């Protein structure tokens, strides 16, 4: 192969060079936003609680994944991500500083020799032990999330199949005569299969609905506890709630208020079929995409 022939590796490095500044800018904007909202940190648990109370059932898969990450360790995940990013950034900077003219950084001008030289410099700059340790940490997080989500999926499928088997005989009495009338005699051999898998599919759908209802109830209770506990603490710090009116956690009044808030949130979620109001649906579209992706991932992995 001619060493002057352009290769895809050069295109990849050129794309990385173009996109890297945008990632750095996004990181700086996130840090800036974090500093702006830092004075209101004590409101964050209460707001998160309110979100769980009224919308937790809509994002059960995402919440389960976040809980799995929390159990593994959010700080550990962040540290590993920072290690990988620092190594990547150092490798890119070292590779692009190696007497590569700016006009030669385009995708069309990268040949095999240039791409191989840049790749060697990139790999030489990385710290293998740091990268290996960070990748192992991220892999542990991924395994934890996959195991948690797959466990929920397996439980729903098992329950759904069991429910389907229970109603199979009743479905045969009702569905078999109608299917025999609707299908030609040559296809009657498929009736048992259709009834069996139809019952199992219906059972799995029912199990997923029950899973969502139970998950929404749990989110409402957990969110109500966060909202009442941290909401009154935040209001007290902001001089909006006198100290003598603060409810003691675990007291009958505190428990009653938590139960009332949870009941309102749970009934609202069920009444709206776990949907979001239009303005909030647009605002939470990225989170909805994450929920959809995780649900699809669980079903296909």
């Amino acid at each position: 192969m001619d060493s002057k022939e352009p290769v895809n590796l050069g295109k990849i490095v050129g794309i990385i060079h173009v996109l890297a500044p945008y990632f750095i800018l996004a990181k700086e904007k996130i840090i800036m936003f974090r500093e702006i909202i830092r004075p209101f940190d004590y409101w964050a648990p209460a707001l998160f609680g309110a979100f769980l109370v009224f919308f937790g059932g809509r994002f059960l898969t995402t919440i389960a994944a976040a809980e799995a990450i929390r159990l593994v360790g959010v700080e550990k995940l962040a540290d590993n991500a920072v290690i990988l990013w620092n190594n990547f950034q150092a490798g890119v900077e070292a590779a692009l500083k190696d007497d590569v003219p700016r006009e030669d950084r385009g995708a069309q001008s990268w040949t095999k020799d240039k791409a191989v030289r840049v790749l060697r410099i990139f790999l030489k700059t990385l710290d293998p032990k740091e990268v290996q340790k960070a990748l192992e940490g991220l892999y542990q997080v991924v395994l934890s999330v996959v195991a948690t989500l797959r466990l929920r999926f397996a439980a729903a499928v098992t329950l759904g199949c069991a429910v389907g088997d229970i109603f199979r005989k009743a479905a045969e009495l009702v569905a078999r005569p109608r299917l025999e009338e609707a299908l030609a005699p040559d296809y009657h051999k498929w009736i048992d299969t259709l009834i069996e898998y139809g019952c199992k599919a219906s059972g799995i759908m029912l199990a997923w609905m029950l899973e969502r209802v139970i998950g929404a109830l749990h989110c409402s209770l957990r969110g109500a506890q966060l909202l009442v506990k941290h909401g009154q603490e935040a209001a007290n710090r902001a001089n909006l709630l006198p100290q003598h009116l603060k409810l003691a956690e675990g007291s009958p009044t505190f428990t009653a208020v938590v139960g009332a808030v949870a009941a309102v949130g749970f009934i609202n979620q069920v009444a709206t079929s776990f949907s979001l109001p239009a303005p909030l649906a647009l605002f939470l579209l990225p989170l909805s995409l994450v929920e959809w992706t995780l649900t699809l991932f669980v079903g296909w992995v």
Side-chain angles (χ1 to χ4, degrees):
M1 181 182 293
D2 187 4
S3 63
K4 298 301 182 181
E5 181 182 352
V7 294
N8 291 333
L9 182 60
K11 295 180 180 180
I12 294 174
V13 177
I15 292 173
I16 291 174
H17 171 67
V18 173
L19 295 181
Y22 294 99
F23 284 107
I24 296 174
L25 179 62
K27 177 184 176 183
E28 294 175 351
K29 294 297 183 181
I30 292 174
I31 295 175
M32 183 184 304
F33 177 75
R34 182 72 180 84
E35 293 299 323
I36 293 175
I37 66 174
R38 188 178 296 277
F40 306 98
D41 275 355
Y42 50 88
W43 284 101
L47 294 177
F48 179 66
F51 174 81
L52 290 180
V53 169
F54 293 100
F55 309 111
R58 177 67 178 80
F59 303 101
L60 289 180
T61 307
T62 305
I63 292 172
E67 185 67 16
I69 293 174
R70 186 187 68 83
L71 293 176
V72 174
V74 177
E75 294 183 358
K76 180 180 179 181
L77 174 63
D79 292 340
N80 291 330
V82 169
I83 290 173
L84 289 177
W85 172 255
N86 290 339
N87 276 271
F88 171 79
Q89 193 174 15
V92 171
E93 291 178 356
L96 295 178
K97 284 181 180 178
D98 182 57
D99 67 4
V100 180
R102 181 172 296 274
E103 60 273 11
D104 287 343
R105 294 178 182 176
Q108 299 299 327
S109 63
W110 284 85
T111 61
K112 181 179 179 180
D113 289 340
K114 291 180 181 179
V116 170
R117 187 184 71 212
V118 167
L119 181 59
R120 287 176 177 173
I121 296 172
F122 179 82
L123 294 177
K124 186 172 66 175
T125 306
L126 301 182
D127 187 330
K129 292 184 178 180
E130 282 191 352
V131 172
Q132 179 183 357
K133 183 178 179 180
L135 288 176
E136 289 176 352
L138 294 179
Y139 184 62
Q140 291 175 3
V141 173
V142 172
L143 285 181
S144 176
V145 172
V146 171
T148 300
L149 299 182
R150 290 293 291 176
L151 182 62
R152 292 180 61 248
F153 179 77
V157 170
T158 302
L159 176 61
C161 290
V163 172
D165 289 338
I166 293 174
F167 293 101
R168 180 181 174 183
K169 291 184 178 181
E172 286 184 354
L173 295 176
V174 176
R176 179 176 290 276
R178 290 174 172 80
L179 290 174
E180 289 177 347
E181 294 178 2
L183 297 176
D186 292 341
Y187 300 107
H188 284 184
K189 60 183 179 181
W190 290 98
I191 291 178
D192 289 336
T193 302
L194 291 173
I195 293 175
E196 179 180 356
Y197 282 95
C199 290
K200 289 183 177 180
S202 300
I204 292 173
M205 292 178 60
L206 178 61
W208 272 115
M209 292 175 59
L210 293 175
E211 174 79 14
R212 185 171 294 277
V213 171
I214 294 172
L217 178 60
H218 173 261
C219 286
S220 295
L221 289 170
R222 179 58 176 161
Q225 185 182 29
L226 291 173
L227 177 59
V228 176
K229 176 183 176 181
H230 295 283
Q232 61 180 355
E233 290 179 356
N236 182 256
R237 290 185 58 176
N239 296 324
L240 299 176
L241 179 69
Q243 182 65 30
H244 66 278
L245 294 180
K246 185 177 178 181
L247 302 177
E249 186 176 5
S251 65
T253 306
F254 180 90
T255 304
V257 173
V258 168
V261 174
V264 171
F266 176 71
I267 293 173
N268 176 76
Q269 291 190 69
V270 174
T272 58
S273 301
F274 306 102
S275 60
L276 299 173
L280 194 59
L282 183 61
F283 179 74
L284 295 178
L285 179 61
L287 189 59
S288 298
L289 292 177
V290 172
E291 175 73 13
W292 179 81
T293 303
L294 288 175
T295 303
L296 190 65
F297 174 77
V298 172
W300 285 97
V301 171

